[in-house]
Amino acid sequence: MGFLSDALSRVQPSATVAITQKARDLVRAGRDVIALSAGEPDFDTPQNVKDAAIRAMAEGKTKYTNVDGIPELKEAVAAKFRRDNGLNVTAADCFIGSGGKQIIFNALMATLNPGDEVVVPVPFWVSYPEIVRLCGAQPVLAKADASSGFKLTPAALEAAISPATKWLILNTPSNPSGAAYTADELRGLADVLVRHKHVHILTDDIYEPLVYDGGRFATIAQVEPALQERTLTMNGVSKSHAMTGWRIGYCTGPRELLAAMTKLQGQSTTNPASISQWAAVEALNGPQNFLKDWLKVFQARRDLVVDGLNASKGISCLVPQGAFYVFPSCADVLGKTSAGGRKLVTDEDFVMALLEETGVALVQGSAFGLPGHFRLSYAAADVELQKAVERVQAFCDGVR
């Protein structure tokens, strides 16, 4: 009898966490490292949000709360969904977790059984298929590569659905590709889903405010209200309000599902941190004008990075419509040798050689299900991004 759970053997470590840790280790060893591997805004949490947390502490709001969140935050979440997304929901239709990842984990753990299938578009955020496997179910990977702008097509979705399909996980704007579905593109997927009434939709909208070039964000239950009764719409304050460390995610969905998630959370972490919840109330109810300023900064960074990477020999980078990632192809560099003598057989060889020889930390595309690519997060200062793309260019120039 082994000591560790068999379920854990089905799960791979997070590649983004692993390479970010390696970058930190190199920094501690005295190396000059530009870490663009983690998805974390470099902006500070807005002052009014921090002030709300300080007030909550001063007022003694430091005790346990309701498992699924304080009523004030659930009211703020419901108001946000009504205001920004056109979803007719109340606080009773909302749920608070310790980050968006916990909400995804709760929803899948509460619903999946062995033999169930979950459609996961490729490229995917690294945790989606691993959470599915941990639950004993099977991820069905539906390819959405550069030929479709990294977006799932209705035909690919149709082909991936079977009688065993329980969920589709949809992430827009996307981590890792930055692809953002338009309302019309979601309409095409919705038409497929309306016909398959046994399929539920988990839409990860965590990058909602970051849609560029004048584009408008849309979520699938907004596009097709008939799907709302089987859609879990997940969001959070981590990316929108630079609150990654506060660990607050939120969602709206069918009340039967929310009750099951509450039951599960009650036997795991219980309530999210009380102070973080009060800060999130202010984040959602307070001024949102700063988001426009942040959007302009991120779009300028996107353009800097895309132009710099496309000027690199052997790199091809599509222009993403949202989030703060690019997902370029390095296929034309593979099969060669770096200036430091490393054989670049795989995309992991490419990113590891880049890190060791230039100090730029990126994540290999195979971690996201699509080999031959890499992910770069441009949630960093312009000067760091400029240095990074110059180092990538020099690295590629040295490949033979």
Side-chain angles (χ1 to χ4, degrees):
M1 178 186 297
F3 177 63
L4 297 180
S5 166
D6 290 343
L8 197 60
S9 68
R10 298 193 292 266
V11 179
Q12 297 297 316
S14 169
T16 54
V17 171
I19 200 161
T20 300
Q21 185 58 52
K22 183 174 178 63
R24 291 193 189 106
D25 293 342
L26 288 173
V27 170
R28 280 195 294 271
R31 288 286 304 277
D32 174 21
V33 174
I34 303 173
L36 304 178
S37 51
E40 183 171 46
D42 62 319
F43 298 118
D44 194 14
T45 302
Q47 188 61 46
N48 64 305
V49 176
K50 293 191 285 186
D51 290 343
I54 293 168
R55 285 196 303 273
M57 286 186 280
E59 294 167 4
K61 295 175 177 176
T62 58
K63 308 297 185 184
Y64 292 130
T65 74
N66 294 348
V67 169
D68 60 345
I70 58 175
E72 291 85 351
L73 182 50
K74 292 171 68 175
E75 290 284 358
V77 166
K80 178 260 180 280
F81 280 128
R82 292 193 299 267
R83 177 184 70 236
D84 298 341
N85 308 115
L87 301 181
N88 184 23
V89 299
T90 68
D93 304 303
C94 299
F95 177 96
I96 315 300
S98 297
K101 184 183 287 189
Q102 186 183 33
I103 287 176
I104 296 168
F105 183 92
N106 285 349
L108 297 182
M109 184 63 74
T111 57
L112 291 177
N113 295 302
D116 289 340
E117 295 178 354
V118 177
V119 177
V120 180
V122 177
F124 47 70
W125 179 48
V126 294
S127 292
Y128 295 146
E130 304 306 330
I131 295 173
V132 171
R133 293 186 182 104
L134 187 62
C135 294
Q138 181 65 38
V140 174
L141 305 181
K143 197 169 184 181
D145 59 16
S147 66
S148 63
F150 299 115
K151 297 178 185 180
L152 183 67
T153 64
L157 174 59
E158 183 76 54
I161 292 174
S162 79
T165 305
K166 185 164 280 186
W167 287 98
L168 161 69
I169 298 179
L170 191 63
N171 176 211
T172 178
S174 163
N175 174 6
S177 70
Y181 291 80
T182 66
D184 285 345
E185 289 166 338
L186 289 176
R187 175 77 266 164
L189 299 179
D191 289 344
V192 174
L193 293 163
V194 165
R195 295 196 301 272
H196 296 281
K197 300 187 183 301
H198 65 294
V199 179
H200 295 74
I201 306 97
L202 196 166
T203 180
D204 180 349
D205 298 347
I206 198 76
Y207 297 96
E208 173 180 346
L210 298 177
V211 179
Y212 305 121
D213 302 317
R216 292 177 61 87
F217 174 81
T219 194
I220 197 161
Q222 176 184 25
V223 170
E224 178 47 81
L227 293 176
Q228 187 170 340
E229 64 184 13
R230 49 188 166 106
T231 299
L232 186 74
T233 304
M234 189 282 288
N235 212 315
V237 292
S238 291
K239 317 297 183 178
S240 61
H241 293 76
M243 294 175 67
T244 50
W246 299 76
R247 307 312 303 136
I248 293 293
Y250 57 81
C251 66
T252 183
R255 293 187 185 181
E256 179 185 16
L257 173 59
L258 300 187
M261 292 167 61
T262 301
K263 180 179 179 181
L264 179 60
Q265 188 159 291
Q267 293 292 4
S268 55
T269 59
T270 315
N271 62 274
S274 61
I275 301 305
S276 295
Q277 290 190 67
W278 285 106
V281 171
E282 175 62 23
L284 294 178
N285 288 344
Q288 308 294 314
N289 295 338
F290 69 92
L291 293 174
K292 294 180 181 178
D293 297 331
W294 287 9
L295 183 67
K296 291 178 183 177
V297 171
F298 277 126
Q299 182 168 324
R301 291 174 176 177
R302 177 202 65 175
D303 295 341
L304 183 161
V305 167
V306 169
D307 290 346
L309 290 175
N310 279 327
S312 303
K313 187 172 65 176
I315 303 297
S316 176
C317 184
L318 295 183
V319 180
Q321 301 91 31
F324 41 65
Y325 308 102
V326 291
F327 197 64
S329 169
C330 59
D332 289 344
V333 179
L334 301 184
K336 301 178 182 179
T337 303
S338 74
R342 181 159 185 157
K343 296 288 186 182
L344 306 179
V345 179
T346 67
D347 52 0
E348 184 173 5
D349 293 331
F350 173 83
V351 299
M352 294 309 297
L354 188 70
L355 176 58
E356 292 163 3
E357 297 178 27
T358 76
V360 176
L362 309 175
V363 186
Q364 65 270 22
S366 53
F368 306 98
L370 199 59
H373 294 74
F374 61 90
R375 189 193 76 173
L376 181 154
S377 168
Y378 52 86
D382 287 16
V383 63
E384 294 292 288
L385 295 172
Q386 185 62 48
K387 286 194 295 184
V389 296
E390 288 173 357
R391 293 183 190 185
V392 173
Q393 290 170 1
F395 177 86
C396 291
D397 284 341
V399 170
R400 296 289 182 266

